[in-house]
Amino acid sequence: MSRKTSYICPVDRLDNDIKYVPGVGEARAKLLDRELGIRTLGDMLRHYPFRYIDRTRIYRIAEITDAAGLAYVQLRARVMGVAYAGEGRRRRFTVSVQDATGTAELVWFQGIKWIEKRIEKGREYLIFGRPGFYRGMLSMAHPELETVEQALSRKPESGMQGIYPSTEKLSNQLGTKGMYQIVCKLWPLVRDGIEDPLAESFRARYGLLPLREAYYNIHFPQSQELLRQAQYRLKFDELLGVQLNIQARRTARLTRQDGFLFPKVGEAFNTFYREQLPFPLTGAQKRVIREIRQDTVTGFQMNRLLQGDVGSGKTLVALMSMLLAVDNGFQACMMAPTEILARQHLATIRRMLGPMAVRVAILTGASKTAERREALEGIASGEVQLLIGTHALIEDRVQFANLGLVVIDEQHRFGVEQRARLWTKNARPPHILVMTATPIPRTLAMTLYGDLDVSVIDELPPGRHPIRTFHYTDAARLKLFGFMRQQIRQGRQVYVVYPLIKESEAMDYKDLTDGYEAISRDFPLPEYVTAICHGKMKPADKEESMRQFKEGEAQILVATSVIEVGVDVPNATVMVIESAERFGLSQLHQLRGRVGRGAEQSYCILMSGEKLSREARARLDAMCETNDGFRLAELDLKLRGAGDINGTQQSGMAFDLKIANPTADVQILTLTREAAGELLADDPQLSRPEHRGLEVLRRRYAGRDEIDFSRIS
């Protein structure tokens, strides 16, 4: 006689396998792992709902209309009849239900045998699902059903049922309610094993719920206010864990004293400053150079973020910093995200250096054999002092004689691991200068990049005119073309930027192909030459278009946002952005920065359709009102929450955030930064008994430990 054994899950261990939760089992556990990375009870506990449905509300059928826009509904109705329709794969099972106000149809395409055994004609059910309409009748596909008797006998944990992030495969297996039911069965197993990492006095200071209450109310909200408090507490924990890591790494970096020393301001720097400086430095540029100079004489490794609007003179500051490295016997390199931008930097730096005896080389993925050999041999021997390149710089065969400074341009275009590989090019880590033209509000930058020192260039070089920005709709296109002709007659050039390469049926926006043909008709040869440039062109064709425009052979460049970075044509004075409502504020500001690089007045024309959302209109109005990238960045955060500062929810950080968003939750982030600083100042290793939970929290958000990311931003 065989005996059935059951597994009793220890209540104090959140790292037990999820398969032991009743109703999960081996197969579902593998599916949860594969689809969502949920392996343990703790993983499931930290898989939070993204939305809630009020399960206390029961709708009447007549109340559910297409115009109501309801995502999910619950109704109470009696089964009036069942039927089958279709054959083979198209076979479906339909159930007609009715209440006092009307009739609805329920339909199943899968699991028909299972559901028909549970449907009893004449019986009343509680029905829950997503409403749809077919031939004017309310229809619900694959709804959840339970008899009214079952529903009344069951005591729910909460009137609000969480809707959990899922995948198509999981939804087919578990349904809307399946994840919720797993959490219901999980809770008794874990509730007594939840230890709070934060002391009661600490929680009281920051107004935080106990962790057990927070977990309970995130999954089973007892009120809207308790749900808000639960979300706040869980966000606070995540961001505190992140900040404990960032600030611990910063502290460690500043105690190592293994940074290269650049004590000398020598011939290269002084000759450039006296003889080659293209224009007087602004006060902001002088301040940033002093900050970099100070970093390189302390003995600590520099890790500095340099922010500055397009055209503010970041490249000049980077070059002077690299000359400091050269004066002290070191090499320097600059990594750019694209071939176009790398070659732009090479041309700019060679032009600025003029006849100076500083050897500069370039290395990109498209470098010809001779160019590649010159770069590789020159940096290995030490003869090449400055190397400009793309991600090709991180290849294993790129070996420097003595790399002392790395400049990374447009930092958000690179993965963190890519940037990290650059500082392994020397036995000791080189100084790091990260540059971005994407404005980030200073308080957010200091908090989000807590391990970096932040410098800001907030002045334009002398002689630059603020760009004048206007918003036109399609009705003003003839006026726009007239203005373009006027500028071209004065010897100027024009960019026309589109958001799409080919027409999208789903979105009614101007596309580049049609736009190029239309402009070629209105600006015909031989009087006008129009070039085209987009990301799907062959590199050689793209370079030829760019060359034509740079050298003035083409008066108009029609492009996608591929020209957002990397093109410096001082003679271009007009930037036309088609379907401007499609772009975020940050991208609009970057595109605008392609003009205004010469001494002439420049213009940015934002073209859009007549119908605009409130947010789109606010973005375009803001662009017309200010050229200040930092003001625009603040507005972008307000309008869009997360914005597109780094392009991912984790904002470029190697941390697993489930509920917090560093850019949307700036206030919480600022508080946790202060709290982490105080905790680490008092107990740097978090080794005291009362901080044991904080050390566990820190380790959970330690990110990828194989690389010390604090050294490379």
Side-chain angles (χ1 to χ4, degrees):
M1 181 174 138
S2 66
R3 293 183 60 192
K4 208 171 188 179
T5 58
S6 62
Y7 179 87
I8 305 299
C9 176
V11 295
D12 59 344
R13 297 294 299 278
L14 293 184
D15 56 357
N16 273 275
D17 199 309
I18 191 69
K19 69 183 178 184
Y20 296 118
V21 174
V24 176
E26 197 84 46
R28 282 183 171 176
K30 285 181 179 175
L31 190 63
L32 284 164
D33 185 4
R34 188 168 62 248
E35 296 294 303
L36 296 173
I38 293 173
R39 301 181 182 89
T40 68
L41 306 189
D43 292 339
M44 191 74 229
L45 186 64
R46 289 184 285 272
H47 186 69
Y48 306 125
F50 66 92
R51 199 154 46 81
Y52 297 86
I53 299 165
D54 185 357
R55 291 297 293 258
T56 62
R57 170 80 190 267
I58 297 175
Y59 288 85
R60 290 171 172 264
I61 290 174
E63 292 179 287
I64 306 166
T65 64
D66 208 1
L70 299 166
Y72 289 93
V73 295
Q74 188 169 242
L75 55 94
R76 180 174 175 170
R78 192 176 303 279
V79 172
M80 305 307 293
V82 300
Y84 294 92
E87 295 293 332
R89 288 189 173 185
R90 296 188 177 183
R91 180 174 164 84
R92 61 189 185 275
F93 177 59
T94 61
V95 176
S96 174
V97 298
Q98 182 179 307
D99 69 6
T101 68
T103 303
E105 183 180 73
L106 316 180
V107 59
W108 283 265
F109 301 94
Q110 296 174 339
I112 292 173
K113 287 184 180 178
W114 185 86
I115 197 70
E116 71 175 326
K117 290 177 185 175
R118 285 155 179 77
I119 295 288
E120 189 178 328
K121 191 175 175 180
R123 193 155 198 178
E124 204 174 13
Y125 290 86
L126 203 64
I127 303 158
F128 174 79
R130 191 188 291 271
F133 290 86
Y134 181 66
R135 293 178 179 170
M137 177 186 279
L138 173 63
S139 174
M140 295 170 73
H142 290 259
E144 297 168 11
L145 274 80
E146 59 183 336
T147 65
V148 170
E149 294 83 1
Q150 285 174 321
L152 293 174
S153 66
R154 177 178 47 79
K155 181 181 179 297
E157 290 280 359
S158 165
M160 288 189 281
Q161 179 189 313
I163 302 296
Y164 291 81
S166 189
T167 65
E168 189 177 349
K169 282 186 180 178
L170 262 178
S171 294
N172 289 338
Q173 289 267 344
L174 292 170
T176 308
K177 203 172 178 182
M179 297 282 270
Y180 176 74
Q181 288 173 330
I182 290 174
V183 175
C184 287
K185 292 169 182 173
L186 169 85
W187 181 250
L189 301 176
V190 299
R191 62 186 172 199
D192 295 328
I194 296 169
E195 293 184 13
D196 202 318
L198 307 182
E200 191 176 343
S201 57
F202 185 93
R203 294 200 306 268
R205 179 179 174 185
Y206 290 98
L208 302 171
L209 277 184
L211 186 58
R212 188 184 304 178
E213 282 185 44
Y215 277 136
Y216 186 71
N217 280 282
I218 199 78
H219 292 294
F220 315 113
Q222 301 302 297
S223 69
Q224 285 289 349
E225 174 57 21
L226 281 168
L227 172 60
R228 187 197 65 77
Q229 289 186 41
Q231 290 169 333
Y232 187 91
R233 166 64 204 265
L234 295 170
K235 288 178 178 184
F236 192 99
D237 276 24
E238 286 190 347
L239 295 174
L240 179 61
V242 167
Q243 287 299 317
L244 286 170
N245 279 283
I246 288 175
Q247 296 197 45
R249 288 172 175 175
R250 174 181 170 80
T251 302
R253 175 168 63 87
L254 295 177
T255 55
R256 271 193 290 264
Q257 288 194 298
D258 59 352
F260 292 123
L261 288 168
F262 295 176
K264 186 164 70 171
V265 180
E267 184 181 351
F269 187 97
N270 286 322
T271 301
F272 180 82
Y273 187 78
R274 285 195 304 265
E275 300 173 15
Q276 296 300 129
L277 204 61
F279 46 75
L281 295 175
T282 64
Q285 286 174 314
K286 289 178 181 177
R287 183 184 69 244
V288 172
I289 291 169
R290 280 197 301 271
E291 289 168 350
I292 292 168
R293 167 100 176 99
Q294 184 60 36
D295 284 348
T296 58
V297 297
T298 58
F300 303 117
Q301 184 229 8
M302 178 176 75
N303 203 29
R304 186 167 286 279
L305 173 68
L306 173 56
Q307 291 184 249
D309 261 343
V310 175
S312 62
K314 295 187 300 297
T315 305
L316 179 58
V317 168
L319 173 57
M320 295 180 76
S321 304
M322 292 194 286
L323 292 177
L324 274 178
V326 170
D327 276 338
N328 287 276
F330 292 94
Q331 296 165 298
C333 74
M334 178 185 284
M335 187 162 80
T338 65
E339 171 94 11
I340 293 171
L341 186 53
R343 295 202 176 273
Q344 181 78 54
H345 281 316
L346 178 71
T348 301
I349 286 171
R350 281 183 170 162
R351 185 177 69 246
M352 285 181 175
L353 289 172
M356 287 179 60
V358 175
R359 190 168 164 196
V360 187
I362 187 166
L363 182 65
T364 74
S367 287
K368 300 284 193 297
T369 305
E371 186 178 65
R372 182 178 297 274
R373 186 186 307 116
E374 178 196 355
L376 292 174
E377 291 176 359
I379 59 168
S381 67
E383 291 177 24
V384 168
Q385 294 149 300
L386 306 182
L387 181 65
I388 316 298
T390 58
H391 60 275
L393 298 185
I394 66 177
E395 293 172 2
D396 290 338
R397 59 179 164 174
V398 180
Q399 297 296 324
F400 291 84
N402 193 16
L403 180 63
L405 172 67
V406 172
V407 179
I408 302 170
D409 195 15
E410 290 302 327
Q411 58 89 19
H412 63 287
R413 303 292 180 102
F414 294 104
V416 180
E417 291 89 345
Q418 282 181 306
R419 304 199 296 263
R421 296 216 14 218
L422 270 176
W423 64 259
T424 63
K425 297 291 182 181
N426 209 337
R428 284 159 65 188
H431 294 298
I432 304 289
L433 180 65
V434 175
M435 301 198 303
T436 181
T438 303
I440 306 166
R442 188 178 179 89
T443 51
L444 177 59
M446 291 173 67
T447 308
L448 193 59
Y449 302 102
D451 51 337
L452 277 83
D453 299 302
V454 180
S455 291
V456 177
I457 300 180
D458 49 11
E459 297 176 58
L460 285 178
R464 295 277 176 91
H465 298 284
I467 300 161
R468 297 177 65 187
T469 305
F470 302 94
H471 173 209
Y472 292 167
T473 62
D474 286 333
R477 189 159 298 280
L478 289 178
K479 181 180 176 182
L480 167 69
F481 283 178
F483 178 67
M484 288 167 60
R485 289 190 188 96
Q486 177 196 337
Q487 287 287 301
I488 291 169
R489 278 198 299 272
Q490 293 175 13
R492 311 287 170 240
Q493 290 166 279
V494 179
Y495 294 104
V496 182
V497 176
Y498 288 84
L500 302 171
I501 293 173
K502 290 187 179 176
E503 188 173 5
S504 164
E505 292 177 3
M507 295 182 288
D508 184 22
Y509 293 117
K510 297 287 180 187
D511 70 277
L512 179 137
T513 313
D514 282 353
Y516 175 67
E517 290 172 2
I519 285 174
S520 297
R521 282 194 304 271
D522 280 276
F523 295 83
L525 291 164
E527 188 179 356
Y528 303 98
V529 177
T530 302
I532 187 168
C533 182
H534 59 75
K536 294 194 176 176
M537 290 169 66
K538 291 178 181 176
D541 294 340
K542 197 191 308 183
E543 280 183 30
E544 175 58 18
S545 290
M546 303 297 274
R547 185 199 63 76
Q548 283 184 308
F549 192 64
K550 282 181 187 177
E551 295 181 10
E553 294 174 16
Q555 294 96 342
I556 303 171
L557 178 65
V558 176
T560 55
S561 56
V562 70
I563 56 92
E564 181 184 335
V565 295
V567 187
D568 186 1
V569 183
N571 193 49
T573 58
V574 181
M575 168 63 72
V576 179
I577 305 175
E578 293 284 357
S579 299
E581 69 272 27
R582 280 277 290 122
F583 294 96
L585 261 178
S586 169
Q587 201 173 22
L588 286 172
H589 184 61
Q590 286 263 332
L591 287 166
R592 175 167 62 183
R594 293 298 104 210
V595 295
R597 303 176 82 83
E600 303 299 326
Q601 177 64 57
S602 290
Y603 306 87
C604 178
I605 313 295
L606 306 171
M607 298 297 294
S608 77
E610 297 286 348
K611 292 182 180 179
L612 292 174
S613 69
R614 189 166 63 236
E615 289 81 5
R617 189 169 295 281
R619 285 200 302 274
L620 301 187
D621 288 349
M623 285 289 293
C624 295
E625 287 167 14
T626 183
N627 281 284
D628 185 336
F630 293 96
R631 274 184 61 194
L632 291 173
E634 295 274 10
L635 180 62
D636 211 16
L637 281 175
K638 288 176 186 171
L639 287 175
R640 301 197 301 155
D644 60 355
I645 287 172
N646 284 306
T648 64
Q649 170 156 348
Q650 287 87 348
S651 301
M653 295 186 291
F655 304 108
D656 183 21
L657 301 182
K658 303 292 186 187
I659 190 170
N661 185 320
T663 48
D665 299 317
V666 177
Q667 285 183 313
I668 305 175
L669 190 55
T670 305
L671 279 176
T672 56
R673 181 172 184 257
E674 293 169 3
E678 289 179 20
L679 287 164
L680 291 169
D682 186 45
D683 182 9
Q685 304 302 319
L686 298 177
S687 54
R688 292 182 191 162
E690 65 269 27
H691 291 156
R692 185 173 63 87
L694 286 168
E695 174 57 16
V696 172
L697 185 68
R698 188 197 66 77
R699 283 202 305 270
R700 184 184 303 153
Y701 297 100
R704 304 178 183 93
D705 289 331
E706 68 272 15
I707 295 172
D708 180 357
F709 289 107
S710 71
R711 295 192 168 203
I712 48 83
S713 83

